[in-house]
Amino acid sequence: MKKAKTVYACQSCGGRQPKWVGRCPDCGEWNTLVEEMLKPEGLKTRRGLAEEGSRPQPLASVPLSEGIRLPTGMEEMDRVLGGGIVPGSLVLIGGDPGIGKSTLLLQLCGAIALKGPVLYVSGEESAAQIKMRADRLGIGGAPLLIYPETNVETIVEQIGTLKPALVIIDSIQTVYTSLLGAAPGSVGQLRESTALIMQVCKRSGIPAFLVGHVTKEGAIAGPRVLEHMVDTVLYFEGDRDHYFRILRSVKNRFGSTHEIGVFEMRGEGLIEVKDPSGIFISPASEAVSGSVIACTLSGTRPILVELQALVTGTAFGNPRRTAVGFDYNRIVLMAAILQKRAGVMLDSEDIYVSAAGGVRVDDPGADLALAAALLGSHRNRPARARSVFIGEVGLGGEVRPVASLQQRLKEAARMGMTTAFIPKTGAGDAGTIGGLALVRIEHVGALSDAMF
Ligand SMILES: Nc1ncnc2c1ncn2[C@@H]1O[C@H](COP(=O)(O)OP(=O)(O)OP(=O)(O)O)[C@@H](O)[C@H]1O
Ligand SMILES: [Mg+2]
């Protein structure tokens, strides 16, 4: 294909240069030039999502068939997507190398292939390698079309002719358009290739999943341009040392972004974990100081998570705070609140906090549990057996109400907890749930008298 004329546009000031240079001569920023296409002569450059000659149409007359979702056959996946795949939607799935993105999508293909042909485009693995994995996952016989191709024009052509029920692109960083001279994976290539795939998918109502590589900082490599273009962005994450993997949505035009899907990685593939509370708490660590149970809410689902804190005297002048699976800033904040409002001297103590099982806790409702874990480790006393801590802690040390308290308490009772520490205000009529003894805490200062 004829190579289109390109210029280099600065992502910072918008200035254009005929050649790539390391530093933009206009604004002086480094490394901001990205190759962009000029309108090539004689080349069809229509970029709209509708067919040529289409007119604006009344909303009421748009056919609803386009809104019907395709169930994936995987309950956890459906939940994260907001109830199945929306026709014509583009889903970007990112995750660390080797976390299981290809495995997840191949399993998804196996389930969807029963309903219609699925096109699996792979730029990273050969057809034989995919076959090997499919055999291991037990879907070797599924009517899947494997296409080891990286040229986006050829891929788009195949999508147009085959009209599959689902397209997988593994990965978008390997795909390139021959219109640009830049290497695959560069910002210009990513943007153009995704735009071409989006065009064909939206027009024909075919959903597509794109695998995106993630940089060390957590951004999908080739900056965040892709995240704005696609409909849904999912992250597949988990601790490589653990078998559990969590599918989380960070952007979803068709559903909530709070839902998570939990899977377990086994030899025969990813197994859905329908009851995740059990996996993040271990009965053995109950009698250990600094280990407490929180009940976090992910979307509509309450999950019990074990939080562990270790508070030890610092060896150096500057105390350390380290977090695994927990927001670092919340730990610093909680240490400050406990020091100021509850008189717990932590300014010469190292603090390590970890959420067990490789889960990431970002629910403010886990604040009270964090405070309890820190207190427990500081006093070196285990918390009351089979107790759960639910509540948000304000800067004044007050324990604030949390969303869906009833639901969380029900889950705690179901998992065999006997005592629940909850906020005093806003709890409504929590009643007695499954034999749970409720202890209302108004202020973090009252926690140490109640929790041991
Ligand atoms: N036989 C096996 N038994 C158990 N787990 C396996 C087996 N083979 C592979 N795995 C798991 O599958 C993971 C690789 O999965 P996959 O190739 O889907 O990851 P990926 O996210 O697509 O990686 P990449 O970023 O390299 O494409 C391995 O890290 C391993 O955990
Ligand atoms: Mg892969």
Side-chain angles (χ1 to χ4, degrees), residues 36 38 40 50 78 91 100 113 139 153-154 160 231 244 299 336 348 376 409 448:
E36 265 187 7
L38 277 180
D78 279 348
V91 181
I139 52 167
E153 282 85 13
T154 324
D231 298 305
F244 297 106
S348 56
L409 290 174
S448 65

Side-chain angles (χ1 to χ4, degrees), residues 109-227:
C109 288
I112 301 272
L114 303 173
K115 295 169 191 150
V118 176
L119 182 64
Y120 190 105
V121 182
S122 178
E124 293 187 346
E125 287 155 303
S126 71
Q129 287 171 326
I130 296 170
K131 169 81 178 155
M132 221 165 77
R133 178 179 296 135
D135 281 343
R136 176 163 60 87
L137 303 178
I139 52 167
L144 253 181
L145 296 167
I146 305 292
Y147 192 34
E149 174 61 67
T150 50
N151 181 276
V152 73
E153 282 85 13
T154 324
I155 295 169
V156 163
E157 205 181 298
Q158 286 297 335
I159 298 175
T161 12
L162 294 169
K163 298 242 175 319
L166 178 71
V167 178
I168 308 285
I169 311 275
D170 188 3
S171 68
I172 190 68
Q173 266 90 358
T174 57
V175 171
Y176 72 97
T177 160
S178 19
L179 294 174
L180 292 181
S186 62
V187 179
Q189 282 285 8
L190 281 176
R191 199 159 47 190
E192 288 304 322
S193 307
T194 310
L196 286 169
I197 294 166
M198 179 159 76
Q199 204 175 4
V200 65
C201 286
K202 297 249 160 173
R203 276 193 197 173
S204 45
I206 300 169
F209 277 71
L210 317 175
V211 173
H213 294 168
V214 163
T215 59
K216 242 185 174 170
E217 297 74 41
I220 290 185
R224 311 198 78 120
V225 282
L226 286 187
E227 300 196 11

Side-chain angles (χ1 to χ4, degrees), residues 1 49 55 106 152 164 168 191 305 314 332 365 380 396 409 411:
M1 192 178 281
L49 299 177
R55 295 179 164 277
L106 198 59
V152 73
I168 308 285
R191 199 159 47 190
V305 178
T314 182
V332 178
N380 208 11
L409 290 174
E411 178 69 6

Side-chain angles (χ1 to χ4, degrees), residues 96-103 124 133 136 245 265-267:
D96 287 341
I99 204 77
K101 302 176 292 292
S102 307
T103 309
E124 293 187 346
R133 178 179 296 135
R136 176 163 60 87
R245 303 279 187 270
M265 178 65 92
R266 296 219 197 125

Side-chain angles (χ1 to χ4, degrees), residues 405-406 409-410 420 422 427-440:
L405 182 67
Q406 285 278 343
L409 290 174
K410 268 189 204 143
I422 59 171
D429 180 24
T432 44
I433 293 168
L436 262 184
L438 301 180
V439 182
R440 292 177 189 268

Side-chain angles (χ1 to χ4, degrees), residues 225-237:
V225 282
L226 286 187
E227 300 196 11
H228 290 286
M229 293 174 76
V230 299
D231 298 305
T232 304
V233 180
L234 306 179
Y235 273 100
F236 201 41
E237 55 189 35

